[in-house]
Amino acid sequence: MAGMTGRNTPAIVVLGSAALDTARRIQAHVPGARIHGLASRVDAHSADIAYDDFGAHLRSLYVSGTPVIALCAAGIVIRALATCLADKGAEPPVLAVAQDGSAVVPLLGGMSGVNVLAREIAASLHIAPAITTSGELRFGQCLLAPPEGYALADIEQGKRFVSGLLAGETTRIEGHAPWLDDAPLPRAADARLAVHITPYGAGTATAALTPDDLVIHPRCVLAWLDDAGIEGDIAERVRVAMRERGLAPLALAALVAPVRQGSLEALTEAAHALGVPLRLCDARPFDAASSNGVALHVADTPVDALAIGRARGTLTVLGLGPGSADLLTPAARRALDEAQDVLGYETYVRMAGPFRDDQCVHMTDNREELQRARRAFELASEGRRVVVVSSGDPGVFAMAAAVLEALDTGRADHADWHAVKLAIVPGVSASLATSARAGAPLGHDFCVLSLSDNLKPWSVIEKRIAHAGEADLVMAFYNPLSKARPWQFDRAMEIVRQHRRAETPVVLGRDIGRPGERLSIVTLGALTSDLVDMRTMVIVGSSTTRTVGNWVYTPRWYA
Ligand code: SAH
């Protein structure tokens, strides 16, 4: 669980503004940690993420494996998580920290490094952590949570081992475990129990292991796949090759392969199945005979996979939603957290922040869309994790189409762009956010239209509005008006009025989901262009759209 694949960044959960100061001090020391604030008590700008219900939020963080640093009484945390504590194997670290930063109590996640996190937080607050784990107190070092680059073979076996030591047994260390050098373990050269640091698995001739021993595997094996290896079930092929050599699956540090069109998806899946990173190299980075398409290299010490070749770059085009953090999807949030490079129009990039110091932010002008898309591919081709942000949904009058257009037009010159793992993450589009605020004006058939004639002739726009009017569709207008397009909105409404009664409800949403949000409901007859600007969404009803109280809706039935 620990190490490179467990990438959930910690959540610092606060219940009120009084805890913000301590939360920020912790955030500065815990890479990637985000402050989650109770929406009703913490100002939206002070927290990275807002939540409404403490118990429900804590449980959802816990089950998604997110480390939790809760700035409140331990009892509150325990009661909130009580219902989901059965599965001890999968628990993330959970800590309670006193609001004033005077105490840090690791509560859960002994196997996933809670004490390490407690020590980090305690160091940032200049206090001593309240470590309660008997094995760790006694031996100064948690034997069951080895450092990055090492993996514990079997937790149950580990627990038996620690109980043995606590009961007075001695131990010896077989292999190289530098982090245990100064640990006050009860050592004896002839001890019955041993700590084995070995890439080889139990039941192999290479390592003489007994069931009571503690086995820790250094991640020191590289598996290189040549052309013959990139076929069929790649993960299984690697497992078999390792088994034949007596190597434990957990000793694998990385899957290494050449860049080959068409095989990247299968390689990515195989690396995922094996729980290791995929690294791409033009040539095999070590000397070893290959059998059945797989060559294995066993190093003496853990291998830093990230120093080998390069990663398969990723390019994620994501939608931020209309603006507020609570309308940003968790998938988009995760992509932002994992990004190394963030590209987008300045306003949207600011909306997506704040970013960490290790993240590169590239702000551009709103009109340079194709150029931005090409730049994103270039960065991703170097193996970087790149995101391009749009407001709302990236596929609605936004960057997703520009990115695919760049890929399409760059086909001949940029074969490497196709090796990039491309993903589009949806967002809540302005028409949907506005519709929800007003009720359900999009409750029946509707269309979305952009009134911008920057990229399409005005005549096409007129024709589409006329057809939509005739088809009695609800119409959601994006880009209704700008300084450069002063008369178009009035002309568009003139066409709409040829097909709709003056009483037709019209929803105007301005800056929905952003500070200063404004929603108004008018009639088509009263609609004038001075009510509308570039930050407004205009939804014009169909012949059946109606109001009830302050709500607007379009019934599901049709006359
Ligand atoms: N991809 C975006 C749309 C980009 S076009 C989306 O899916 O929402 C930009 C237009 O969207 C603006 O001119 C405005 O009409 C509308 N818009 C974007 N964000 C908005 C918001 N928060 N409130 C109201 N309208 C918005």
Side-chain angles (χ1 to χ4, degrees), residues 91-330:
E91 74 191 17
V94 177
L95 306 96
V97 177
Q99 277 201 11
D100 63 359
S102 63
V104 178
V105 189
L107 295 171
L108 298 164
M111 302 298 158
S112 47
V114 73
N115 288 337
V116 175
L117 193 53
R119 286 181 200 288
E120 276 169 26
I121 293 170
S124 73
L125 299 172
H126 309 294
I127 55 172
I131 304 281
T132 55
T133 326
S134 53
E136 169 151 357
L137 276 181
R138 183 82 173 266
F139 309 124
Q141 189 52 257
C142 188
L143 281 165
L144 304 185
E148 183 89 27
Y150 295 86
L152 182 67
D154 179 343
I155 277 181
E156 291 309 318
Q157 175 198 38
K159 286 189 208 158
R160 279 200 303 277
F161 181 90
V162 169
S163 314
L165 292 197
L166 288 169
E169 290 234 34
T170 52
T171 186
R172 61 201 154 84
I173 294 176
E174 303 288 339
H176 187 52
W179 74 97
L180 291 177
D181 282 352
D182 301 321
L185 293 172
R187 291 168 209 250
D190 59 349
R192 185 182 68 86
L193 295 181
V195 181
H196 288 273
I197 317 297
T198 172
Y200 296 99
T204 62
T206 347
L209 308 173
T210 77
D212 290 336
D213 287 342
L214 181 76
V215 181
I216 293 171
H217 298 302
R219 294 188 177 274
C220 62
V221 178
L222 294 176
W224 164 267
L225 290 152
D226 53 31
D227 285 336
I230 307 177
E231 251 177 41
D233 187 340
I234 300 173
E236 186 55 19
R237 188 184 292 273
V238 172
R239 283 190 204 105
V240 168
M242 290 185 77
R243 194 153 59 229
E244 281 169 359
R245 292 271 298 271
L247 291 162
L250 282 172
L252 189 63
L255 202 59
V256 192
V259 187
R260 290 264 191 286
Q261 290 288 328
S263 59
L264 284 161
E265 229 36 75
L267 283 167
T268 305
E269 272 171 35
H272 184 76
L274 292 163
V276 296
L278 169 67
R279 305 298 296 180
L280 301 172
C281 292
D282 298 323
R284 189 193 299 183
F286 54 82
D287 248 354
S290 135
S291 124
N292 203 13
V294 185
L296 295 174
H297 172 69
V298 184
D300 295 332
T301 50
V303 175
D304 176 9
L306 305 188
I308 297 162
R310 61 181 186 282
R312 179 184 183 196
T314 65
L315 172 49
T316 304
V317 192
L318 61 84
L320 298 169
S324 61
D326 58 348
L327 289 180
L328 176 70
T329 68

Side-chain angles (χ1 to χ4, degrees), residues 383-429:
R384 300 180 64 83
R385 286 189 302 278
V386 181
V387 302
V388 172
V389 300
S390 282
S391 79
D393 181 88
V396 178
F397 310 123
M399 282 306 294
V403 163
L404 291 173
E405 191 184 328
L407 186 65
D408 202 1
T409 55
R411 217 170 9 203
D413 307 329
H414 301 286
D416 52 331
W417 290 3
H418 288 268
V420 167
K421 189 168 173 53
L422 180 63
I424 321 282
V425 175
V428 178
S429 193

Side-chain angles (χ1 to χ4, degrees), residues 319-341:
L320 298 169
S324 61
D326 58 348
L327 289 180
L328 176 70
T329 68
R333 178 73 267 161
R334 202 174 320 120
L336 285 169
D337 287 342
E338 292 176 355
Q340 292 173 305
D341 294 277

Side-chain angles (χ1 to χ4, degrees), residues 321-323 348 390-399 427-431 434 450 477-481 485 509-514 533-538:
Y348 304 146
S390 282
S391 79
D393 181 88
V396 178
F397 310 123
M399 282 306 294
V428 178
S429 193
S431 55
T434 302
S450 167
F477 292 103
Y478 288 74
N479 301 311
L481 194 90
R485 297 181 283 109
R510 185 172 194 272
D511 281 340
I512 296 298
R514 299 180 190 171
D533 67 4
M534 201 52 191
R535 284 148 66 182
T536 311
M537 178 76 230
V538 180

